[in-house]
Amino acid sequence: MTFPVDLLADVSQEQLEKSAHEYMNTLLYSNPDAPERLTLPDSTQVTISVSNVGFTPLYGQSDKRRVLARFSPSNTMVAMALYLLDRWWTVEDILRTADPARRGLLPVDTVGERIVLYVLNRYIYREKERSSEETPFLCHEEKDHAKILWDDGEAVGFYSVKPAGSLYNPFSSGTYQLPVMDSIFVRKGHRGKGSGLLMLKDFVLSFPGDSLGLKYPLSQSMYQVCKKYLHQYPESTDLLWEVKRTGGPHQRTNIASKIQVMDLSEHHSRKERQQLEDEELNDEEQTEKGEEFGVKVTVPEEISAERPDTAEQKLSAKGAELQEERGSDRPSEDEEPPVGQHRSHRNRRKVPPTPKSTKQREHRTMKKKRKHH
């Protein structure tokens, strides 16, 4: 199966637009009860009607070149398919190729390749894969220098350049003072394979000179790509510049110096974090040593939970109970005492004193004599 990028190699923009206008005229008079349907990659079918199709600019703010698009019902600014060569093509099919020779970084020359670049930038990057920290790229102009990265029959990335001397924008007479890479993108599923570094190297080789610019602001991932490049080519420290506007002398910052400052700042941050971690570890060790040599007193929960006055009250109550128990063991005055245990004083007989022995009397007499002497 062939795809639009393969079929549009020899087709002009005018031919595409003429075909699209003829289709729109047919659609206006089509039977609304039997609408045309388009099958999406997830097997969902959507209808094609005048209410959900329209022309969209292919080159940013310029309305001279347009393509016919079927828009998403949830977002009328996002196309689900484009009408090319008398039929509808989904966005996913537009990014594919059947040409095995189409691989690696290839320049954007044909209308089909311009459409692939448009889909990659406008729908894949901006609507699906752009991170919150990134500033979206503007749509590419018709004459912008750009290359698409092809891998395994699919367009997976691109980069574009504003050559030195080209207009900064259509409303200004200012021109770029040096070649500036104003956009670079690799699809998420193809990152981590060195594609960004590959495109940066290609940019350097394609525009030989003493200074090359990368449009401000650079993402963190792009700083890492530049860092890898400068590590491989340390003699190029004065080559890459982060530029604002046209990249004049006061509108550029040396990327090698900026990376060095960022690395130094990160080093200090890591050092401070390490110091804080060491201090916390020392505090924990001191605490553990204190607990090891200290005495830990454990108070029973039952006692510690009571107030002192409550405990005293309980002791007093306990003593009262004991006294009450002892008192209850004594017979009352109204009760008849047991026989042999209690007698009245009236009937008690006096017991005569026990006579003292002769030895005891003699002992006392001897004591008295000693006192007299």
Side-chain angles (χ1 to χ4, degrees):
M1 178 181 179
T2 54
F3 298 95
V5 70
D6 307 316
L7 299 171
L8 293 172
D10 299 320
V11 177
S12 66
Q13 181 69 46
E14 290 78 12
Q15 288 175 298
L16 279 181
E17 290 194 38
K18 181 181 178 181
S19 172
H21 281 291
E22 291 175 354
Y23 174 79
M24 278 295 292
N25 291 333
T26 303
L27 190 62
L28 286 171
Y29 299 100
S30 62
N31 183 2
D33 296 328
E36 182 181 355
R37 295 183 181 276
L38 172 67
T39 303
L40 301 178
D42 61 358
S43 300
T44 303
Q45 287 193 339
V46 295
T47 59
I48 303 295
S49 66
V50 178
S51 61
N52 54 38
V53 301
F55 285 94
T56 182
L58 184 59
Y59 302 118
Q61 298 176 347
S62 175
D63 203 30
K64 295 179 180 179
R65 304 297 186 187
R66 301 182 300 169
V67 290
L68 188 62
R70 199 289 185 188
F71 297 101
S72 169
S74 59
N75 188 346
T76 56
M77 299 300 293
V78 177
M80 303 173 66
L82 299 180
Y83 187 81
L84 307 168
L85 296 174
D86 302 327
R87 59 161 291 185
W88 288 100
W89 297 86
T90 63
V91 168
E92 289 75 13
D93 283 340
I94 292 172
L95 299 179
R96 298 173 65 187
T97 179
D99 185 0
R102 199 182 295 275
R103 58 189 304 172
L105 278 169
L106 297 177
V108 175
D109 294 324
T110 68
V111 173
E113 291 163 347
R114 289 285 170 188
I115 292 174
V116 171
L117 180 65
Y118 169 78
V119 170
L120 274 175
N121 182 19
R122 181 64 182 83
Y123 300 115
I124 302 301
Y125 166 68
R126 190 181 299 188
E127 301 297 337
K128 293 184 177 182
E129 299 189 7
R130 180 173 65 92
S131 66
S132 58
E133 69 170 11
E134 295 175 339
T135 303
F137 306 133
L138 297 176
C139 289
H140 297 93
E141 300 294 334
E142 186 174 2
K143 301 298 182 181
D144 279 356
H145 177 92
K147 288 188 177 182
I148 294 174
L149 179 62
W150 296 89
D151 182 36
D152 195 22
E154 185 181 8
V156 299
F158 66 85
Y159 83 88
S160 62
V161 178
K162 298 291 187 183
S166 58
L167 284 176
Y168 173 66
N169 62 50
F171 311 103
S172 171
S173 60
T175 58
Y176 284 96
Q177 303 300 300
L178 71 170
V180 176
M181 178 189 283
D182 66 332
S183 68
I184 181 170
F185 168 67
V186 178
R187 298 198 68 175
K188 288 184 177 180
H190 297 267
R191 295 176 187 176
K193 302 178 181 179
S195 300
L197 183 59
L198 174 67
M199 287 190 275
L200 180 58
K201 288 181 178 180
D202 187 82
F203 170 50
V204 173
L205 293 175
S206 301
F207 294 88
D210 297 332
S211 299
L212 295 176
L214 285 82
K215 188 175 181 179
Y216 172 90
L218 295 184
S219 64
Q220 289 299 319
S221 58
M222 196 59 204
Y223 278 121
Q224 293 301 317
V225 171
C226 293
K227 185 176 181 179
K228 291 178 181 178
Y229 178 85
L230 293 170
H231 180 73
Q232 292 184 11
Y233 305 97
E235 70 279 3
S236 300
T237 53
D238 293 329
L239 177 64
L240 302 178
W241 300 80
E242 185 176 19
V243 304
K244 298 179 180 179
R245 300 181 64 82
T246 61
H250 302 291
Q251 296 174 331
R252 61 178 76 175
T253 304
N254 184 266
I255 292 178
S257 299
K258 193 166 184 177
I259 290 175
Q260 187 176 10
V261 172
M262 292 168 65
D263 288 346
L264 186 61
S265 176
E266 178 63 23
H267 173 73
H268 286 312
S269 298
R270 284 199 303 267
K271 189 174 181 180
E272 290 177 358
R273 287 196 299 268
Q274 186 62 45
Q275 288 177 349
L276 289 174
E277 291 175 0
D278 292 343
E279 290 176 1
E280 291 177 358
L281 183 61
N282 290 334
D283 292 342
E284 291 177 0
E285 290 177 352
Q286 293 296 330
T287 303
E288 290 176 358
K289 288 181 180 179
E291 292 179 353
E292 182 180 353
F293 294 103
V295 178
K296 188 175 181 180
V297 180
T298 304
V299 181
E301 293 182 1
E302 295 180 357
I303 297 177
S304 62
E306 294 179 354
R307 292 171 51 189
D309 55 347
T310 306
E312 291 178 1
Q313 290 174 3
K314 286 192 174 183
L315 289 174
S316 300
K318 189 68 177 177
E321 289 178 3
L322 291 174
Q323 289 181 1
E324 186 177 350
E325 289 176 359
R326 290 175 182 174
S328 62
D329 291 340
R330 297 176 183 175
S332 64
E333 294 180 356
D334 297 333
E335 292 179 351
E336 184 69 22
V339 178
Q341 284 189 2
H342 183 74
R343 294 181 180 179
S344 64
H345 295 282
R346 184 177 50 186
N347 298 327
R348 185 179 297 174
R349 293 185 302 173
K350 292 184 179 180
V351 180
T354 304
K356 296 180 180 179
S357 64
T358 306
K359 287 184 178 182
Q360 288 178 342
R361 287 197 298 269
E362 290 178 356
H363 181 69
R364 287 184 177 181
T365 303
M366 291 295 292
K367 279 186 176 182
K368 289 179 180 181
K369 288 180 179 181
R370 288 175 184 171
K371 286 182 180 180
H372 288 296
H373 291 292

